[in-house]
Amino acid sequence: MAYTHLSEAPLDLRAPGFSRVRKGNWWIRIITLAFFDYLSLSVSWLIAESYIPPNDFPWDTSRSSFGMLITILVEIAVMAIQGLYQPGQKRYDYFNIIKSLAFAHGLLLAIILLNKTVQTVQFESPSHLLLPWFLNASWVCAGRLFVNVTLEYLRDLQLFGKNSVFVICDPEEQAEYFNFIKKDNRCKIVGFDGAKALDRYTRKATLEQLHDLGVTEVFISWNAIKNRMFLCWLFHAAGITIHILPMEVKQIYRDMELSKIGRMPCLTFTCPLITGKDFWIKRMFDFCFSSLFIILTSPIYIAIALAIKLDSSGPVFYKQTRIGLHGQKFKVWKFRTMRPDADKLQKELETLNENQDGVLFKMKDDPRVTRIGKFLRCYSLDELPQIFNVLQGEMSLVGPRPLATRDVANFSERHFIRQEVLPGITGWWQVSGRSDIIDFDQVMRLDLHYIENWSLWLDINILFKTVAVVLKKQGAY
């Protein structure tokens, strides 16, 4: 099936389904904190102006209300960059507030002194420089403390501030985890389910249930998710924050932080404010790059097509059924490198399969490969037509390789995670040995590494590594 628009392409687990913005009342928190910060900074600047003589006041705040506004916005922006509007205890990190405002004051003073239109100021006392910073920090910390105490009071009264949370763990762990979570008065437990809720055939229904309940955060026990860390992308796409309950310590994911819920340590994966933006940037990059690549390399396509025709009888292109996103079948395009009857001959060659577990079919010196086919495979030129699959939205430039129906039929349950993200022309497997890797479990580990650590920069890194691997003819046959 061809997809004429990017928005028509099927979505993988990194893309939002029913949610485009992070769930919860985070925006109320940000607006409230920003309002009180603005109010605190305004009052502190007015107090500073009243104590410092006008001729010895270097700041722009005394000259106009616009100068006051810009000064305060710069201070708020610096605090935002330092994470002081993030959820959890970060927003009440008073030492970080003091440091951030000190940096903001230094930045503002540097801008003022570099502005040639401002007359040189003679300072009678260092206190004229330090007093505004001291007042700003004192008033902002006091305002944050007031917000914190008020919010805790409203939570105790069950009036405001509680997040709807869902717990996924084994039944025998439920009581213990519930007791810890209830100690944190910002959480309201609205549901519970076992580890089966994360299974391949039930996770969609689980996400729909979370959506109906208005869940903003999910607590998952280590036993329930230890082999399913890739599911963090699904919850991110749904705009839901994840907390992993006590677990063995090891590096399992990027962008995680250690937090405490009811004095219980857990790992937190905060989803971005706008979900799926990186995935859509990836899709746009795929589309634009593929279009440009086809235009620039069209002479190479024509030359390869002529070489194939002159070398052997049969069609120029070879279309094979592969299993793609969500287990859907599609036709992958390749330049033909084998005899036209290659599929029929494969059954006779199964006994010579060099893959250890038999999931993939790999064979050096395959007698079905033509002379020009060996050259094309050596430099991976036979893969070039898959750019058209990328344009159609069936594939991405980078992702797990789509496998033939014969290979997927031999999958174990744990292997199907490969089908939850868009397949790619190249991937972590291809830049880590390609056909030299004959153990499919090792292939799975490489694919899981890609899925769990995916980022746009990782995709770009793999594309550069692919060029080097192709030029070295590493693992190609």
Side-chain angles (χ1 to χ4, degrees):
M1 180 183 295
Y3 301 94
T4 57
H5 300 286
L6 288 176
S7 59
E8 295 180 356
L11 302 179
D12 71 11
L13 55 78
R14 294 165 291 187
F18 49 74
S19 175
R20 299 286 178 177
V21 180
R22 182 198 297 173
K23 291 181 176 294
N25 295 323
W26 54 267
W27 57 275
I28 297 179
R29 180 191 70 246
I30 293 176
I31 292 175
T32 302
L33 289 177
F35 171 77
F36 275 92
D37 287 344
Y38 183 85
L39 187 64
S40 300
L41 289 168
S42 298
V43 172
S44 62
W45 276 112
L46 291 174
I47 295 174
E49 289 179 11
S50 67
Y51 274 92
I52 301 174
N55 293 333
D56 201 26
F57 194 81
W59 313 97
D60 279 345
T61 56
S62 62
R63 288 180 165 79
S64 67
S65 58
F66 181 73
M68 172 80 80
L69 176 63
I70 295 300
T71 299
I72 293 176
L73 290 180
V74 169
E75 292 178 299
I76 291 177
V78 171
M79 289 194 293
I81 293 172
Q82 291 298 313
L84 291 170
Y85 293 94
Q86 294 296 317
Q89 295 301 313
K90 285 184 178 181
R91 60 184 183 270
Y92 304 120
D93 185 349
Y94 300 111
F95 182 66
N96 196 14
I97 291 174
I98 295 172
K99 288 195 305 179
S100 300
L101 289 174
F103 175 81
H105 275 240
L107 178 63
L108 288 167
L109 186 60
I111 294 172
I112 292 172
L113 295 177
L114 289 173
N115 187 348
K116 297 180 181 179
T117 63
V118 178
Q119 295 180 350
T120 303
V121 179
Q122 299 295 327
F123 301 108
E124 295 181 0
S125 172
S127 64
H128 294 168
L129 283 176
L130 296 177
L131 181 61
W133 163 74
F134 175 77
L135 290 172
N136 283 179
S138 300
W139 277 83
V140 169
C141 289
R144 292 286 181 112
L145 180 61
F146 172 78
V147 171
N148 189 27
V149 172
T150 304
L151 185 58
E152 291 296 321
Y153 178 73
L154 293 175
R155 283 171 174 165
D156 289 337
L157 296 178
Q158 306 290 323
L159 296 176
F160 179 76
K162 284 188 176 290
N163 296 324
S164 298
V165 305
F166 194 88
V167 181
I168 298 177
C169 65
D170 294 330
E172 57 270 20
E173 301 173 310
Q174 179 182 348
E176 180 182 4
Y177 287 143
F178 273 31
N179 289 334
F180 273 109
I181 295 172
K182 287 177 180 177
K183 291 178 182 178
D184 192 316
N185 66 352
R186 71 179 185 84
C187 297
K188 177 179 66 175
I189 300 175
V190 297
F192 156 80
D193 207 339
K196 67 180 187 302
L198 302 178
D199 289 346
R200 183 161 59 100
Y201 296 107
T202 57
R203 66 179 67 126
K204 182 178 179 181
T206 299
L207 287 174
E208 292 175 351
Q209 180 185 8
L210 298 181
H211 178 59
D212 293 339
L213 291 173
V215 169
T216 61
E217 301 178 32
V218 171
F219 291 85
I220 308 178
S221 70
W222 171 244
N223 289 331
I225 204 171
K226 60 185 176 182
N227 294 321
R228 302 181 174 96
M229 289 308 301
F230 56 85
L231 289 180
C232 289
W233 283 113
L234 274 179
F235 289 103
H236 273 193
I240 297 173
T241 296
I242 303 176
H243 303 284
I244 307 299
L245 299 169
M247 50 179 289
E248 60 187 53
V249 179
K250 68 175 184 176
Q251 180 67 31
I252 54 171
Y253 202 72
R254 61 188 181 90
D255 299 336
M256 63 181 178
E257 61 182 26
L258 184 65
S259 59
K260 287 186 178 181
I261 304 295
R263 293 175 295 185
M264 174 179 58
C266 61
L267 291 179
T268 297
F269 304 83
T270 304
C271 65
L273 297 184
I274 305 299
T275 62
K277 63 180 185 302
D278 287 344
F279 173 78
W280 288 114
I281 293 173
K282 171 185 173 71
R283 291 295 301 128
M284 291 174 62
F285 175 79
D286 283 347
F287 186 84
C288 295
F289 180 90
S290 300
S291 302
L292 183 62
F293 184 85
I294 291 174
I295 294 173
L296 296 178
T297 60
S298 55
I300 297 177
Y301 280 80
I302 296 173
I304 292 175
L306 291 174
I308 292 173
K309 272 297 185 182
L310 294 173
D311 179 61
S312 62
S313 60
V316 170
F317 295 104
Y318 171 70
K319 291 190 292 184
Q320 184 184 39
T321 300
R322 296 288 180 96
I323 306 299
L325 186 63
H326 307 316
Q328 297 298 313
K329 295 181 179 180
F330 73 102
K331 296 291 185 179
V332 67
W333 287 72
K334 300 180 73 173
F335 281 121
R336 182 175 60 84
T337 60
M338 290 186 174
R339 294 164 45 179
D341 58 350
D343 289 338
K344 296 179 181 178
L345 290 175
Q346 181 173 327
K347 295 181 180 179
E348 302 174 11
L349 299 173
E350 285 286 351
T351 56
L352 301 177
N353 187 3
E354 297 174 6
N355 189 267
Q356 290 181 353
D357 49 23
V359 176
L360 303 177
F361 182 85
K362 291 292 181 182
M363 179 182 175
K364 289 183 179 179
D365 299 322
D366 193 325
R368 300 172 298 167
V369 179
T370 62
R371 288 176 301 173
I372 189 63
K374 290 182 179 179
F375 174 81
L376 295 177
R377 288 187 170 203
C378 184
Y379 291 99
S380 299
L381 296 174
D382 58 317
E383 311 283 355
L384 287 179
Q386 288 170 38
I387 291 289
F388 293 103
N389 291 112
V390 176
L391 282 176
Q392 292 176 321
E394 298 165 327
M395 293 178 63
S396 174
L397 292 173
V398 181
R401 284 292 296 162
L403 300 180
T405 53
R406 175 256 177 220
D407 299 332
V408 176
N410 293 321
F411 271 13
S412 299
E413 180 65 25
R414 69 183 186 277
H415 296 152
F416 282 97
I417 175 55
R418 300 180 86 258
Q419 315 307 129
E420 296 299 322
V421 297
L422 274 174
I425 295 178
T426 185
W428 201 247
W429 169 23
Q430 282 65 41
V431 299
S432 302
R434 271 202 296 184
S435 297
D436 290 338
I437 300 175
I438 58 176
D439 181 0
F440 188 68
D441 281 337
Q442 187 176 354
V443 173
M444 278 300 306
R445 284 193 291 271
L446 293 171
D447 286 339
L448 278 177
H449 173 84
Y450 170 77
I451 294 171
E452 293 177 359
N453 295 279
W454 174 79
S455 68
L456 293 174
W457 288 115
L458 180 60
D459 275 6
I460 294 172
N461 185 32
I462 290 174
L463 288 173
F464 279 113
K465 286 187 175 183
T466 300
V467 176
V469 168
V470 169
L471 292 178
K472 292 178 181 178
K473 300 183 288 186
Q474 180 182 342
Y477 59 84

